[in-house]
Amino acid sequence: MSKRMDRHKNGENDLFSREAYRRSKLVKQLDEQEDNYLDTDWSDTDDLIDIANEYDTPEAYEEYANYYYEHKQPSRMHVKRKQRRAIYHNTNKDAIDPEDHTDSFDSELEVVESSQVTKSPKQKKTKKKKKHRILKFILLLLVLIIGYCAGGFYLGQKDAKSEASTLKSQTFNGVTSEDGSKNILLIGNDSRDGENARADTIMILSFAGKSKTPKLISIMRDSYVDIPGYNSTKINTAYAYGGAELLRKTIKENLGIDTKYYVTVDFQSFEKVVNALFPDGVAINAEKSLDLDGIQIEKGQQVMNGLKLLQYARFRHDEEGDFGRIRRQQQVMTAIFSQLKSPMALLRLPYAAGKALGYTANDIPISYYAKIGFSLVKGASSLQRLSVPVDSTWEFGTTADGESVIYFDNDIETKAISKFLAQ
């Protein structure tokens, strides 16, 4: 036991020893109780005052006890501990006013809170080195991730383009929407019909609106529209007349949607794309049993490879016709996007995405892939969908040539699309 403690216990009237001893005991006692601090009910300050009674008068600590109760946020525990230690170690004989030996611990805490404890140069240097190490680690991790993604994407595209493909790049004068959105026109065509095949599937992928989640608009292939430079006919004919560019103009003129980029995929390529992204298949709940081109699909939950998924999305030989087909196509796209979030899919994604896009004709720059990639994966499970024309706004009809078409009001559809994209 130190001499200072002996003097205090023997009742020596040494203000410095009493004050230092009081502080040391209080600091020690509070430190010991910090582990149980969160489980302690401080609504009654008698516990703390009892502690003070062992070494000093209750009055000297009552105000501090109240302060401790009123400021008992757990997030400040570490700070308070540092403050108490700083007060104790900075105490010296000259700092204690003999005329006022009842100065509260609380007032000294306020003094320390308004000032900073000076750190030694060694402490500052150590902290600076630690920061640099963390920053270097984060930077290295980012470089490795970017390198892995870029390398995988490049190899995937190279492997896909080394295979024979009937798809060729097209002229496409894409336009950014007024709200800044860069919508993507997705075109599926049956290349078996030859070079001038009609578009079998017409969709628009958008990231517009407040939600920033992916939005998918499907356009009925039998929609009766005005084709710039040609007679009015089905919208899917626009692709046969003038490729992706004429289809873009037709959509803009009739439905008011601008598209910036395009992606075209034929049936054979679609199958390869799915198999590249999901070697183990895509989990989907088939809404009905069907048979198309010898491929039989049973109703219910199952895993489909690229060929089965293609036939499921193409089928329209029932009473629903193109309406049922559009619904199944959207179901297929939702299932594909949802499974992009699985850990294994994320690891394969750079290579698989490069390979998948290598099977298609498109004009999307790599920089845009990087920009929308995170949003696409993040919002995959919440993909919003819209079919055009919307419910109860259309009617069946027959053209002079005897073709069955779908008539609708352009203004009504344009407003419905604008509302959908703005959500």
Side-chain angles (χ1 to χ4, degrees):
M1 188 176 294
S2 66
K3 294 181 180 180
R4 195 170 291 168
M5 293 171 65
D6 289 337
R7 288 197 301 271
H8 177 78
K9 294 191 72 174
N10 293 331
E12 295 181 21
N13 189 17
D14 185 329
L15 179 60
F16 175 73
S17 64
R18 290 184 69 254
E19 187 70 11
Y21 180 65
R22 178 175 70 86
R23 291 170 184 271
S24 67
K25 286 295 183 179
L26 180 59
V27 169
K28 180 179 178 182
Q29 187 68 40
L30 292 175
D31 284 350
E32 289 174 352
Q33 292 197 17
E34 273 189 335
D35 289 339
N36 300 321
Y37 177 68
L38 294 177
D39 298 326
T40 303
D41 180 11
W42 292 104
S43 58
D44 186 356
T45 59
D46 289 343
D47 292 339
L48 192 59
I49 293 176
D50 288 342
I51 295 171
N53 273 330
E54 298 181 19
Y55 312 108
D56 215 321
T57 60
E59 291 79 11
Y61 292 93
E62 185 173 3
E63 186 178 358
Y64 172 72
N66 291 330
Y67 175 87
Y68 199 81
Y69 167 65
E70 292 172 1
H71 298 76
K72 62 186 182 73
Q73 299 94 330
S75 61
R76 299 185 64 188
M77 287 174 57
H78 186 61
V79 176
K80 292 299 181 186
R81 182 171 183 174
K82 281 188 174 181
Q83 290 172 339
R84 292 197 302 272
R85 290 191 177 280
I87 291 172
Y88 173 69
H89 292 299
N90 288 337
T91 299
N92 55 68
K93 191 171 182 178
D94 296 332
I96 302 173
D97 185 359
E99 299 298 325
D100 187 12
H101 61 274
T102 62
D103 285 344
S104 69
F105 201 68
D106 180 33
S107 63
E108 294 178 51
L109 276 176
E110 292 177 357
V111 172
V112 174
E113 285 179 347
S114 64
S115 63
Q116 293 183 342
V117 178
T118 305
K119 295 181 179 179
S120 68
K122 186 176 180 180
Q123 287 177 316
K124 290 182 179 179
K125 191 174 181 180
T126 302
K127 190 174 182 180
K128 193 174 182 181
K129 283 184 177 180
K130 188 175 180 181
K131 271 187 178 180
H132 286 171
R133 284 198 297 270
I134 294 173
L135 289 174
K136 285 181 181 179
F137 175 76
I138 294 174
L139 183 60
L140 178 61
L141 186 62
L142 287 175
V143 170
L144 289 175
I145 292 174
I146 293 172
Y148 173 79
C149 294
F153 187 86
Y154 172 76
L155 289 175
Q157 272 196 320
K158 185 178 179 181
D159 289 348
K161 290 181 177 180
S162 65
E163 302 178 22
S165 175
T166 58
L167 292 174
K168 296 180 180 179
S169 297
Q170 304 181 37
T171 299
F172 193 79
N173 301 315
V175 177
T176 301
S177 300
E178 291 183 1
D179 63 357
S181 302
K182 296 181 178 180
N183 302 322
I184 303 173
L185 176 59
L186 307 176
I187 307 167
N189 75 301
D190 187 352
S191 59
R192 295 175 299 181
D193 292 341
E195 185 178 350
N196 295 323
R198 295 182 177 187
D200 189 72
T201 301
I202 303 171
M203 294 181 173
I204 297 173
L205 180 62
S206 176
F207 296 90
K210 297 178 181 179
S211 63
K212 300 301 180 182
T213 56
K215 296 180 176 66
L216 189 67
I217 301 173
S218 298
I219 303 174
M220 299 288 185
R221 53 182 271 171
D222 292 339
S223 299
Y224 191 76
V225 297
D226 295 326
I227 300 178
Y230 296 86
N231 296 327
S232 297
T233 184
K234 293 181 179 181
I235 193 171
N236 66 340
T237 308
Y239 185 76
Y241 287 164
E245 173 61 12
L246 183 57
L247 181 57
R248 179 192 70 79
K249 291 180 179 178
T250 302
I251 292 173
K252 172 61 177 176
E253 183 171 312
N254 291 269
L255 299 172
I257 315 173
D258 281 313
T259 48
K260 179 64 176 177
Y261 305 115
Y262 84 98
V263 175
T264 301
V265 59
D266 59 21
F267 290 167
Q268 185 180 9
S269 297
F270 177 85
E271 180 183 341
K272 292 179 179 179
V273 167
V274 172
N275 291 336
L277 286 171
F278 309 102
D280 299 325
V282 176
I284 191 169
N285 188 12
E287 63 180 24
K288 67 190 305 180
S289 298
L290 54 88
D291 185 341
L292 182 62
D293 296 339
I295 303 298
Q296 294 184 346
I297 297 174
E298 298 298 328
K299 179 181 178 180
Q301 185 68 34
Q302 57 195 282
V303 177
M304 298 185 188
N305 60 17
L307 179 58
K308 275 194 172 183
L309 204 63
L310 171 64
Q311 300 302 78
Y312 180 73
R314 288 184 58 219
F315 184 83
R316 65 183 187 125
H317 302 300
D318 58 8
E319 67 282 357
E320 289 188 293
D322 204 35
F323 291 93
R325 191 176 71 101
I326 286 291
R327 185 177 64 253
R328 286 186 289 275
Q329 286 178 352
Q330 291 184 336
Q331 183 189 7
V332 166
M333 294 297 289
T334 300
I336 289 174
F337 286 157
S338 295
Q339 289 187 218
L340 288 175
K341 300 181 77 170
S342 69
M344 290 305 299
L346 288 175
L347 288 174
R348 289 193 303 261
L349 188 58
Y351 175 81
K355 195 170 185 180
L357 290 166
Y359 289 134
T360 69
N362 68 86
D363 67 342
I364 305 177
I366 294 179
S367 59
Y368 193 63
Y369 289 136
K371 182 178 179 180
I372 67 173
F374 178 75
S375 297
L376 188 60
V377 173
K378 181 181 177 182
S381 57
S382 57
L383 176 70
Q384 298 178 20
R385 302 176 293 180
L386 177 72
S387 295
V388 175
V390 297
D391 293 340
S392 304
T393 65
W394 55 270
E395 61 181 15
F396 283 119
T398 304
T399 66
D401 298 330
E403 282 192 311
S404 295
V405 295
I406 298 173
Y407 292 112
F408 59 85
D409 187 307
N410 289 2
D411 291 337
I412 293 177
E413 305 307 322
T414 299
K415 290 178 181 178
I417 292 170
S418 297
K419 182 180 179 180
F420 173 70
L421 293 177
Q423 294 175 350

